[in-house]
Amino acid sequence: MNTFPLFFKLEDRKVLIVGGGDVALRKADLLSRAGAAITILAPSISAEIQALLSDSKHELIYENYNKAYMTGARVIIAATDDETLNHQIHADASDLNIPVNVVDTPHLCDFIFPAIVDRNPIVIGISSNGKAPVLARLLRARLETLIPQGYGKLAKLAGEFRHEVKTKIPTLTGRRQFWERAFEGKVSQLMFAGNEKEAAAQLQADLDNTASAINEKDTADNTSTESQTVKNIMGEVYIVGAGPGDPELLTFKALRLMQQADIVYYDALVSPQVLDLCRRDADKVFVGKKRSNHAVAQLGINELLVNSAKEGRRVVRLKGGDPFIFGRGGEEIESLRAHGVPYQVVPGITAANAAASYAGIPLTHRDHSQSVRFVTGFLKAGAPNSNFKSFLNTDETVVFYMGLHSLPRLTTGLIDAGRSSDTPIAIVSNASMPNQQVLTGTLANIVELQEQNQLPTPALLIMGDVVALHHDLAWYHVDNEQKNQNTATDDNWLRGGKAAATKNPTSQQAHALSMVANLATADDVEQLVIG
C-alpha cells in the first residue's frame, strides 16, 4: 500500500481551509458532514460557502493567509490556485506537525480525500492515491448502487444492542455467529424493507432465544449449544421483476435480493445474463412457461414457493419483465398470504416499456397518442381476447403481450371491428437484447411481413400512430452478425431450443455487476476500506 487508510474523528474539531472558491466549497461540504468546525481563510469567500457554513461553530476569516490561523487545527487543506502559496501552506503545516492536503497536488498531501460511500455509521473510502480520481469515483458509483441505505440503519441498530449482546453471549465466537445470523437473515430484510421497529423486535427476540439456548445447555457439553444456529421457522419470498433481459436494467433492490437468495425459481423469459447475477451457490430451479407448454403449473409454483419458505429459505421468484404486468405475481402472493408466508415484491421494467424504448417508439406522444393500454393476447386458460371494438381510439397506443401467435386473428378482428387497415403496427422481438429485431408495417400487411421475416418470440405488438416514429427515433442498433447468429427460432434460448442447454456467454457488464455484487455481500463489507 502506498497509503494507509485511516478514519479521522473530526466532530467539533477545527479544520482550516485556505481558499474561498469552488474547490474550498467541495471540501467544506464533505468535512461539514463529519461534524468538523471549519475555518475558512481567504480574502474573498463565495456566497455558497457562506450559506453552507452559517452555523456559529464555523468561522469565516476574510484575510490573506497567515500561519497564525493554523493554531489548534486538526487538519489543514490548501484550496487556492496560487502554487507558491500552496507550497508555503504545506511547509508551515509540516513545521507544526499538522496533516495537510494540497488539493490536486499529491506530492504535497499528507492525506488523501477518498471517494466516499456514506452509510453512516458505515463509511467506505476509495482512493487511487491520486493516480486516477475519476476511476475511484466510478468504483464508488458501483458500490453506491449495491449497498442500500438500510445498511446504515442496520449498523445503528447493532450499536444499540452491542452491550446487551456482549452481556448475554459471553464468548467472541458466539457473538460473531449471532451477528452473522442477524445481518444475513430476517433482521436485515426487515430493515431493508423499511420496517425498523419490526427489525428491532426481531433482533431482540433472536437475542433472547440465543441467550436462553446458552443458559439451558448441558454443562457436560459446554461447546455445542452456543454454536448452534437458531434458525427462523419461516423464510421469506421475494417476487422479483428481472426486466426484459439486459442485466443493466435490473433495479438495485432486485440485484441485492438475488445475491441473498438460497433458492431461485425462474421463468423462461429470464435471460442467462440476469440469472448469472444470482448468488452463485443458490439452487436455481426452472419453472418457466411457454405457450401451451408449462414446465410447472402455476399451482405447483405456488406450492414450491410456500414449501421453500417454510423450510426457512430465502426464496427469489424471478420473473421476466414486471411481476404485476401479465406476470401472475398477484396469484403467487395470494397463495403466500393464505399460508402466512412473508413476501416482498420488487418491480421490474416491463416488456412494453423496454420494447418501445429500445425500438424508438414512444408509447405516448403529445401529437400522436394521449394514452397507452397494455393488453394480453390470451386470457385465462388460453381463451383469446377478442374485445376488438374497444381498440378503435386512434389517440391511444395499444401494446399486445403474447400476441404474435395470434397475429392473423388480431389484425383481422381489428379491421373488421372498424380500425383502419393503414394503422401502423410493430413487432419487437427480444427487446433490449443483442438479438433484438423490429418489424413495422400496417394492420393490412404485417401478417405477410412476419411470414417473410419470421421474427421469433418473445415479442410484443405495438399498435398506433407512434409506430411511425420508429424510423426517425430508433437508436438501439444491434450487430448484424450477432443478430443473425441468434435469431433462428429453433435455437433461441428464450424458446427453449438447442441453445437453451448451453448458456450464452455472460456479457462484460454482467460480469462486472456480479463481481461488485459479490463484494457487496462479503462478510466484512461493513469494514471495507479501499486505500
Side-chain angles (χ1 to χ4, degrees):
M1 292 184 292
N2 299 110
T3 56
F4 189 81
L6 297 171
F7 291 91
F8 276 77
K9 290 184 177 180
L10 296 178
E11 183 75 29
D12 296 325
R13 301 298 298 270
K14 177 181 176 180
V15 174
L16 175 64
I17 300 177
V18 183
D22 290 340
V23 176
L25 174 63
R26 292 198 300 270
K27 302 305 180 186
D29 183 36
L30 280 174
L31 292 163
S32 65
R33 298 183 197 181
I38 300 171
T39 297
I40 299 289
L41 176 60
S44 176
I45 301 174
S46 72
E48 290 82 3
I49 292 179
Q50 296 176 42
L52 175 68
L53 303 181
S54 60
D55 191 285
S56 60
K57 72 187 291 185
H58 307 300
E59 185 178 8
L60 306 181
I61 303 174
Y62 293 84
E63 296 181 13
N64 290 319
Y65 168 71
N66 189 316
K67 180 179 179 180
Y69 290 113
M70 289 187 174
T71 302
R74 180 74 164 176
V75 296
I76 296 170
I77 292 95
T80 81
D81 55 6
D82 187 330
E83 185 175 351
T84 301
L85 177 57
N86 287 341
H87 276 80
Q88 184 61 51
I89 296 169
H90 177 266
D92 292 344
S94 298
D95 288 343
L96 296 173
N97 290 318
I98 302 175
V100 61
N101 176 282
V102 179
V103 178
D104 291 334
T105 313
H107 71 280
L108 295 181
C109 292
D110 296 325
F111 64 93
I112 295 172
F113 280 88
I116 296 171
V117 179
D118 184 3
R119 298 291 184 268
N120 183 43
I122 294 172
V123 178
I124 301 172
I126 307 167
S127 171
S128 66
N129 288 298
K131 305 297 183 183
V134 174
L135 179 59
R137 289 197 293 271
L138 289 174
L139 289 173
R140 171 209 167 201
R142 287 293 181 92
L143 291 177
E144 285 277 12
T145 66
L146 295 167
I147 302 178
Q149 292 289 340
Y151 271 111
K153 296 179 180 179
L154 188 61
K156 290 178 182 177
L157 179 63
E160 296 171 2
F161 276 79
R162 186 173 182 182
H163 178 71
E164 186 178 357
V165 170
K166 188 173 182 179
T167 300
K168 292 184 175 181
I169 305 177
T171 68
L172 180 62
T173 298
R175 292 194 293 272
R176 177 182 58 79
Q177 292 174 341
F178 171 80
W179 286 120
E180 285 177 349
R181 294 194 298 272
F183 294 148
E184 295 179 355
K186 184 71 172 179
V187 172
S188 66
Q189 291 307 314
L190 287 169
M191 185 63 76
F192 294 152
N195 300 321
E196 297 180 32
K197 291 183 179 179
E198 291 87 343
Q202 183 68 51
L203 185 59
Q204 185 67 66
D206 291 348
L207 177 57
D208 293 342
N209 290 339
T210 302
S212 176
I214 293 172
N215 293 332
E216 294 175 2
K217 70 179 179 178
D218 185 353
T219 55
D221 182 6
N222 57 11
T223 60
S224 61
T225 304
E226 184 178 340
S227 63
Q228 289 178 353
T229 299
V230 180
K231 295 183 178 178
N232 293 321
I233 296 175
M234 182 72 72
E236 189 168 8
V237 176
Y238 316 123
I239 312 292
V240 176
D246 183 348
E248 291 190 335
L249 297 180
L250 283 169
T251 64
F252 303 150
K253 186 172 185 178
L255 185 59
R256 173 172 58 82
L257 295 179
M258 288 161 58
Q259 281 287 314
Q260 295 177 352
D262 299 312
I263 186 168
V264 178
Y265 295 104
Y266 66 97
D267 279 349
L269 297 181
V270 175
S271 72
Q273 292 90 334
V274 168
L275 188 62
D276 193 51
L277 294 178
C278 293
R279 180 175 156 188
R280 291 298 173 90
D281 58 346
D283 294 330
K284 301 175 181 67
V285 181
F286 175 71
V287 291
K289 306 183 189 73
K290 306 181 186 69
R291 189 175 64 97
S292 303
N293 180 19
H294 293 188
V296 180
Q298 186 60 53
L299 290 177
I301 295 174
N302 296 349
E303 186 177 354
L304 288 171
L305 299 179
V306 169
N307 291 342
S308 294
K310 287 185 175 181
E311 293 171 358
R313 307 180 82 180
R314 291 170 293 188
V315 184
V316 162
R317 175 69 173 101
L318 198 58
K319 295 173 170 288
D322 181 271
F324 278 11
I325 299 182
F326 305 123
R328 305 185 74 171
E331 298 174 44
E332 291 172 354
I333 65 173
E334 285 176 343
S335 174
L336 296 171
R337 187 177 182 86
H339 289 86
V341 175
Y343 59 86
Q344 297 183 44
V345 180
V346 182
I349 294 179
T350 186
N353 285 338
S357 296
Y358 275 69
I361 301 174
L363 291 177
T364 60
H365 190 286
R366 188 169 59 177
D367 297 330
H368 302 286
S369 175
Q370 286 68 57
S371 63
V372 59
R373 193 190 312 194
F374 297 165
V375 182
T376 177
F378 283 83
L379 302 178
K380 194 170 183 179
N385 186 350
S386 301
N387 189 20
F388 297 118
K389 288 189 178 295
S390 66
F391 305 131
L392 302 184
N393 184 2
T394 58
D395 293 331
E396 180 179 69
T397 304
V398 181
V399 181
F400 291 95
Y401 285 69
M402 298 166 283
L404 188 60
H405 290 288
S406 57
L407 183 61
R409 182 185 59 81
L410 285 174
T411 54
T412 300
L414 288 164
I415 294 173
D416 290 346
R419 192 75 191 237
S420 170
S421 61
D422 293 329
T423 299
I425 187 170
I427 302 172
V428 185
S429 170
N430 291 312
S432 84
M433 298 300 290
N435 54 343
Q436 172 179 301
Q437 295 183 84
V438 180
L439 181 65
T440 61
T442 65
L443 290 179
N445 65 11
I446 192 66
V447 172
E448 180 182 357
L449 291 173
Q450 170 61 5
E451 289 176 352
Q452 295 170 1
N453 291 272
Q454 291 294 305
L455 269 63
T457 57
L460 291 181
L461 311 178
I462 303 176
M463 181 183 73
D465 291 344
V466 291
V467 171
L469 300 173
H470 160 70
H471 295 290
D472 291 332
L473 304 184
W475 59 272
Y476 183 64
H477 302 288
V478 299
D479 181 83
N480 288 328
E481 182 178 351
Q482 183 168 1
K483 181 178 71 175
N484 292 335
Q485 291 174 353
N486 289 288
T487 54
T489 302
D490 291 339
D491 291 341
N492 192 335
W493 60 267
L494 288 172
R495 292 288 302 274
K498 290 178 288 185
T502 305
K503 284 184 181 179
N504 292 342
T506 304
S507 68
Q508 292 181 358
Q509 294 94 332
H511 272 308
L513 282 170
S514 183
M515 290 171 64
V516 181
N518 288 334
L519 173 64
T521 54
D523 291 341
D524 294 328
V525 69
E526 65 274 16
Q527 301 178 20
L528 174 65
V529 178
I530 303 177

